[in-house]
Amino acid sequence: MKKERESWGSSFGFLMAAVGSAVGLGNLWGFPYKMGANGGFAFLLFYLILVVFAGYVLVMTELALGRATGKSIIPAYRAATDGKMTFVGVFSALAPFFILGFYCYLGGYAVKYMISNFGDLFGAGFGVNGTEGSEFFTNLFTNRGESAVYTLIFIALTIIIVSRGVKGGIEKFNKFAMPALFVLLLIVVVRSCTLEGAGAGISFMFKPDFSVFHGTGWISVLAAAGGQMFFSVSLGMGILVTYGSYMDKNDDIARSGFVIPVADTIIAILAGLAIMPAVFAFGMEPTGGPGLLFMTLQNVFNSMGKAGGLFGGLFYLLVSIAALTSSMSVLEAIIGSFIDNGLDKGKGNQRKMIAWIAGGLCAIMGVAVAFDGLGTYLPPMFGRFCWLDGFDLLAEGLLMPIATFCTVCYFGWIKKDFLPTEIKNGSSFKTEGFYRFCLRWLAPVFCAFILVGQIDSFFGLGIF
Ligand code: PHE
């Protein structure tokens, strides 16, 4: 039976989908805060250096691996490494499974906040405006039934889009959603930066503070910037391998390797400009993580009076879109291997069925996270983590950096010509020497460093 493997409709569509995967909660709640807390402009410089020496190279590596084999994660690793490193594919394929388990829970919250803000704006009485942000958030995560329902709504949206296919679902949605996200972001940036007292937020982010580099301080800044970039560009979980496998042979991988992390960084900076000036203008504390997104910012919107419902609604719409375009890439990475398997066995394209089954399994994990209520109800995972952090540890802390470390070692040292040969299809690849050097010498060190940094921050070892 003839294979019916899917592909992207256009290179613009592919780029939007890849940038859509990269731009997510990491950009909105991680980057602005980490930048402010780690030396401002100095952190940005480190981050940009990492984008050039590691992000660029790793994105190209994953895309080329996917396109060279024309397969999704597990079969791609099996084919490219002659079966020797299939386990790396398995690691990469397990990571998105754990990620989706908690990502859909957080995405569900974004949807809930969007509905509540717009609802209050139109007088539907959702009670978000006028309630202290931390109280609203606590009420939500301790209401396990409601949290579970929003988690399920979010994952259902993800499954519906992904089940429509690479071109008809993921690409179509991203082509429209990413430009919309950009416009929404600009609206919020203008509002935030024109508030009285916004300057303090801008200087929190950008003020160069080189004192963080004194002594060994630069190591912890490097660890923070590296970990952030790794997650933000969606590395190490086969997403870019899977997306690369749907690319046209004439597409320029070297250009995509540059555009994806750069666009991701620009959006992260804009997200900072949307968030920090407003946080400071209203005299609130800049924090990181869920607290920033679901408590501090909601207080900012509440302080805007009637306009708060509008800007709050628009902002959480933006967050929902960013989370959705990321979560669909995660689901695609999970199901790609199974779809390929079905095609190889002559069963045709079983996308719909596989998407619902895999999505359903992730939904069970998401509901478990919701029922844990951020560590309030269920016994801790591995004796010390709330379920959300436990899944995150498995994926981001261990599987992703280990898989990437093995990948760069194999293709940098053993099968050295495999990826450059692929990249040269469709690209003049003027940076080949640079790519080979970075893949061989810098990327393994970078990945090992990320792994230690992740373990350090999860277990609070204080190594860096
Ligand atoms: N890159 C996304 C973000 O910045 C998160 C993500 C990580 C998405 C891994 C998919 C895979 O939030």
Side-chain angles (χ1 to χ4, degrees):
M1 182 174 174
K2 193 177 160 319
K3 284 199 180 183
E4 315 153 28
R5 204 165 191 282
E6 298 171 69
S7 59
W8 302 110
S10 66
S11 43
F12 174 73
F14 153 70
L15 271 179
M16 287 299 102
V19 173
S21 169
V23 172
L25 297 174
N27 302 59
L28 296 170
W29 78 20
F31 188 87
Y33 172 70
K34 287 186 190 161
M35 192 170 153
N38 288 287
F41 190 69
F43 174 90
L44 183 61
L45 279 181
F46 257 48
Y47 193 89
L48 291 177
I49 292 171
L50 284 174
V51 163
V52 174
F53 287 95
Y56 175 61
V57 174
L58 292 174
V59 169
M60 276 201 282
T61 297
E62 290 204 14
L63 289 176
L65 177 57
R67 195 177 68 178
T69 55
K71 292 180 192 305
S72 302
I73 318 177
I74 301 176
Y77 273 93
R78 188 182 300 124
T81 65
D82 311 308
K84 289 191 205 88
M85 304 277 275
T86 313
F87 75 93
V88 181
V90 175
F91 275 27
S92 272
L94 277 173
F97 200 72
F98 292 122
I99 293 266
L100 202 55
F102 68 84
Y103 213 78
C104 57
Y105 168 73
L106 296 168
Y109 279 179
V111 173
K112 159 80 185 175
Y113 273 68
M114 173 188 71
I115 293 176
S116 304
N117 275 279
F118 279 139
D120 277 2
L121 179 66
F122 295 108
F126 276 89
V128 67
N129 293 320
T131 309
E132 168 64 22
S134 59
E135 191 187 329
F136 190 80
F137 187 60
T138 309
N139 287 343
L140 180 57
F141 78 74
T142 51
N143 185 341
R144 298 187 284 171
E146 190 180 9
S147 298
V149 167
Y150 279 100
T151 304
L152 291 174
I153 292 175
F154 188 83
I155 191 123
L157 287 172
T158 307
I159 299 172
I160 289 168
I161 297 168
V162 170
S163 66
R164 288 170 174 258
V166 173
K167 190 166 136 194
I170 299 175
E171 178 172 350
K172 208 166 160 188
F173 186 86
N174 276 287
K175 262 186 356 198
F176 147 83
M178 289 315 288
L181 179 140
F182 193 69
V183 173
L184 281 175
L185 191 55
L186 289 182
I187 295 173
V188 184
V189 168
V190 170
R191 171 69 284 206
S192 176
C193 289
T194 51
L195 288 166
E196 210 182 309
I202 299 178
S203 70
F204 170 76
M205 271 184 73
F206 290 100
K207 202 170 112 215
D209 174 11
F210 288 98
S211 68
V212 292
F213 292 103
H214 285 161
T216 52
W218 63 273
I219 301 182
S220 60
V221 176
L222 190 63
Q228 172 65 22
M229 193 200 71
F230 204 85
F231 185 75
S232 193
V233 188
S234 308
L235 293 169
M237 56 164 69
I239 289 178
L240 293 169
V241 177
T242 310
Y243 275 18
S245 74
Y246 304 132
M247 276 175 100
D248 190 279
K249 282 282 179 201
N250 296 320
D251 267 354
D252 190 335
I253 289 183
R255 196 191 54 189
S256 306
F258 183 74
V259 172
I260 295 167
V262 168
D264 182 61
T265 309
I266 291 173
I267 294 196
I269 294 172
L270 285 175
L273 288 174
I275 293 171
M276 287 306 167
V279 167
F280 277 82
F282 286 98
M284 294 175 193
E285 283 297 311
T287 48
L292 173 66
L293 214 51
F294 297 123
M295 297 189 224
T296 314
L297 278 173
Q298 187 55 56
N299 282 334
V300 167
F301 297 124
N302 290 349
S303 317
M304 290 182 177
K306 193 78 185 149
L310 176 65
F311 284 105
L314 287 178
F315 179 78
Y316 290 111
L317 169 63
L318 187 161
V319 180
S320 305
I321 293 176
L324 199 52
T325 53
S326 294
S327 73
M328 63 182 70
S329 72
V330 185
L331 182 59
E332 182 63 27
I334 299 174
I335 66 173
S337 301
F338 295 102
I339 296 177
D340 279 350
N341 199 17
L343 287 170
D344 287 345
K345 291 200 173 132
K347 291 188 187 154
N349 191 330
Q350 299 172 305
R351 166 174 291 275
K352 263 206 170 64
M353 182 186 77
I354 295 171
W356 280 99
I357 294 176
L361 288 173
C362 293
I364 294 174
M365 288 163 60
V367 169
V369 171
F371 270 74
D372 180 42
L374 298 177
T376 318
Y377 302 104
L378 300 182
M381 208 183 260
F382 313 122
R384 63 183 291 168
F385 298 105
C386 75
W387 282 46
L388 191 157
D389 286 347
F391 287 143
D392 193 24
L393 165 69
L394 289 173
E396 210 191 335
L398 301 172
L399 292 169
M400 292 161 69
I402 293 174
T404 312
F405 178 77
C406 297
T407 306
V408 295
C409 289
Y410 189 81
F411 292 104
W413 289 87
I414 298 175
K415 218 167 167 181
K416 289 184 293 214
D417 296 324
F418 184 72
L419 299 176
T421 310
E422 178 61 30
I423 298 171
K424 272 186 245 167
N425 285 323
S427 170
S428 56
F429 200 20
K430 296 211 176 68
T431 51
E432 182 175 352
F434 174 77
Y435 173 81
R436 283 179 184 265
F437 175 80
C438 292
L439 187 66
R440 197 170 162 88
W441 298 103
L442 302 184
V445 179
F446 172 73
C447 294
F449 187 69
I450 296 294
L451 180 62
V452 178
Q454 290 291 351
I455 293 173
D456 181 36
S457 74
F458 270 102
F459 290 94
L461 303 179
I463 302 175
F464 294 142

